[in-house]
Amino acid sequence: GPAPPAGGGPPPPMSFVFVHSRSYRELQVEVEMATATGDPAALQRVLAACPYNTDGLVRLADYCSHTGQHELAGECVDKALHACEAAFHPQMRSRCTQGTARLRWRNAANRPFLRALFRQMKRASREGCHRTALELGKLLFCLDPEGDPMHLLLRLPGLALAAGEHRWLLALPSALPAHGLPLYPQYALSLALAERLSASPDAGGGGWRDLGEGRAFDEAPRAEGAVGAGEAQLRRALLLFPPLLPLLVRKVSPEAARGVATALAWEEALGGGRRAGEEKSQTVPHPLVEEEACGATLGLLLRLYASQHTSFWKERPHLWAWLLASADSLLRRLEARDEDVVALAADCAVARQAEYFCGAHEHTEFAEADPSDFGLELPAQLPAELLAAALADPDRPPPPPAEPRLPGRLVVPRRERLQLRAQTHPVVQFFLSLLPWAMAPHRD
């Protein structure tokens, strides 16, 4: 391994990769064939031969999630993680805690573990274990920070807000200055929320948990400054991404009169998306998230933010009211031609143009990101007819319809009687023949 640093700081990163044996690689071919045919029974036969095939377990977990068997999907993910952890290098565990382990996505053997860890993160977040989900997200990002194949940087703000780690979120942009995180919608609004929540002990801020009673009054000036910083950051976020407010209104409160009115006025002032001759609608306008309006990259980022943070805004009506109040205040100041707000809007327009319209509208950096994968909703299940066909055994004919029984009748229909076989052991056949619904085998 690499030599320890002379200054006593953290050791340099160390890359790891899972190595498969020859028999495991042969089973992996069968897993790929079973996945290609779409036959879950074939995948289960492979797992019966090798119960801890990580790729097969993760693929079976995906199938179980889409068929509504979420407990079984969780068990498959747990088994896959256990198998991977048992194969860890002796230094892997300590390196993971230090954040210096690297497990690259480009190595195909590492992907089952990364997928299982990602599914475990989503499962923890869905079950309300937000701090656990945040720590798993940190670990996933540290394993492959250059590639970030699962877009953890876009997920970390939502996980940090749900876990109450507001101060950690505020320090994240300065820890990763090369990424320009405040120019992402996920961070622009989340940083404003973190500033506000870290300043208020009764608003769910995690920063006040370690303060004693004697220091609460000393932090009052800092809290007031944080509220002002949060308000300023929220204004910058709204002016930097004008299509975001109508999009959130459609997702959070499409029936609320105040939200609809604010969204209509906001699009009238900043949207610029209504075509000539189009009459003003009394419903929430469709947000301008198409490529021709704000670029492919920005449009996708806005949809990803709305998918992940809609539940957060719905569960916190006081923060939603704060957002609408800030938007109304900006509209009034824009209408009054306030010099500070007009200058801020112009600066935000220049930054948006430079970040997302200098070639970004021709391609998208996050083309493979799925907005439905960023929410907390369970995976969509298959239709009823397809689900029944998938769960049915192809080698077994469908059962005949059961004969109706009369109330109080104890006679078992002939189709439901037990058919004894001549090959059965004589002693077993004798005890089975004592059952009133057993039938003797027929002679050929």
Side-chain angles (χ1 to χ4, degrees):
M14 178 183 290
S15 296
F16 298 88
V17 62
F18 287 97
V19 180
H20 295 163
S21 63
R22 180 178 179 181
S23 59
Y24 191 96
R25 290 195 297 269
E26 294 175 354
L27 280 173
Q28 187 64 24
V29 175
E30 298 183 15
V31 170
E32 296 291 343
M33 294 176 59
T35 305
T37 58
D39 185 9
L43 189 59
Q44 290 177 346
R45 286 193 293 268
V46 176
L47 290 176
C50 183
Y52 285 94
N53 184 283
T54 54
D55 195 16
L57 287 170
V58 174
R59 294 176 187 268
L60 184 60
D62 293 336
Y63 169 78
C64 293
S65 296
H66 288 286
T67 54
Q69 307 176 74
H70 302 292
E71 294 183 0
L72 183 57
E75 293 177 4
C76 292
V77 171
D78 292 340
K79 291 178 65 176
L81 290 175
H82 173 72
C84 293
E85 188 177 0
F88 273 179
H89 188 274
Q91 297 188 31
M92 178 69 176
R93 192 184 304 274
S94 60
R95 291 277 182 164
C96 285
T97 58
Q98 298 172 2
T100 58
R102 297 294 181 264
L103 211 65
R104 309 296 181 183
W105 175 266
R106 62 174 176 262
N107 297 321
N110 297 336
R111 294 177 186 177
F113 173 69
L114 296 176
R115 288 196 184 103
L117 203 61
F118 178 72
R119 290 188 60 90
Q120 191 76 351
M121 179 196 72
K122 293 187 61 178
R123 176 186 172 190
S125 179
R126 191 179 294 119
E127 293 179 354
C129 303
H130 301 297
R131 180 61 185 272
T132 302
L134 176 61
E135 296 301 326
L136 290 175
K138 293 179 185 178
L139 175 60
L140 268 172
F141 176 73
C142 290
L143 290 177
D144 195 358
E146 292 83 8
D148 192 16
M150 300 177 182
H151 311 296
L152 270 303
L153 274 182
L154 301 182
R155 301 175 187 268
L156 288 178
L159 297 176
L161 288 176
E165 295 295 322
H166 308 127
R167 294 185 179 178
W168 177 85
L169 178 58
L170 292 173
L172 186 58
S174 58
L176 301 172
H179 291 78
L181 297 181
L183 294 177
Y184 287 84
Q186 284 74 7
Y187 286 87
L189 273 177
S190 298
L191 292 176
L193 288 169
E195 289 281 6
R196 180 179 176 86
L197 293 175
S198 63
S200 177
D202 56 351
W208 285 67
R209 290 178 296 179
D210 300 331
L211 297 180
E213 295 181 0
R215 294 183 58 190
F217 296 99
D218 299 335
E219 295 287 341
R222 190 204 66 82
E224 295 178 0
V227 172
E231 183 71 24
Q233 176 62 29
L234 180 60
R235 292 173 182 173
R236 284 194 296 268
L238 290 175
L239 293 176
L240 187 59
F241 306 106
L244 187 55
L245 180 62
L247 178 59
L248 285 177
V249 170
R250 289 176 61 90
K251 296 286 187 179
V252 178
S253 60
E255 304 297 334
R258 181 187 178 187
V260 171
T262 301
L264 288 171
W266 185 264
E267 193 199 35
E268 186 71 23
L270 295 171
R274 186 173 294 114
R275 298 176 177 87
E278 183 178 353
E279 296 182 357
K280 184 177 180 180
S281 174
Q282 296 301 320
T283 60
V284 183
H286 191 280
L288 306 178
V289 293
E290 294 83 2
E291 294 185 15
E292 62 273 12
C294 58
T297 300
L298 180 55
L300 181 56
L301 288 175
L302 294 176
R303 290 191 292 270
L304 293 177
Y305 176 85
S307 178
Q308 184 183 16
H309 293 259
T310 296
S311 59
F312 179 88
W313 290 105
K314 285 183 177 180
E315 295 169 0
R316 295 160 178 83
H318 61 288
L319 293 179
W320 179 245
W322 173 57
L323 174 67
L324 295 179
S326 298
D328 291 335
S329 175
L330 280 175
L331 288 173
R332 289 192 298 268
R333 297 179 66 179
L334 284 173
E335 185 178 0
R337 307 300 298 174
D338 186 286
E339 295 182 0
D340 295 337
V341 175
V342 171
L344 179 60
D347 294 341
C348 291
V350 172
R352 182 173 63 253
Q353 182 73 20
E355 181 69 19
Y356 293 103
F357 286 91
C358 293
H361 63 287
E362 299 176 358
H363 61 86
T364 171
E365 183 182 354
F366 309 96
E368 69 279 5
D370 185 7
S372 62
D373 193 41
F374 276 67
L376 296 179
E377 295 80 8
L378 293 173
Q381 297 186 18
L382 297 174
E385 58 274 9
L386 296 180
L387 181 60
L391 295 179
D393 189 354
D395 299 331
R396 180 181 300 176
E403 297 181 0
R405 299 184 182 182
L406 297 177
R409 187 176 180 181
L410 301 179
V411 178
V412 179
R414 188 177 186 87
R415 292 182 178 179
E416 300 182 17
R417 295 179 185 178
L418 176 63
Q419 182 70 39
L420 301 180
R421 300 181 179 180
Q423 296 81 7
T424 310
H425 193 278
V427 178
V428 177
Q429 194 173 31
F430 169 73
F431 284 106
L432 290 177
S433 64
L434 298 179
L435 299 174
W437 53 83
M439 296 179 60
H442 299 282
R443 294 182 179 180
D444 297 335

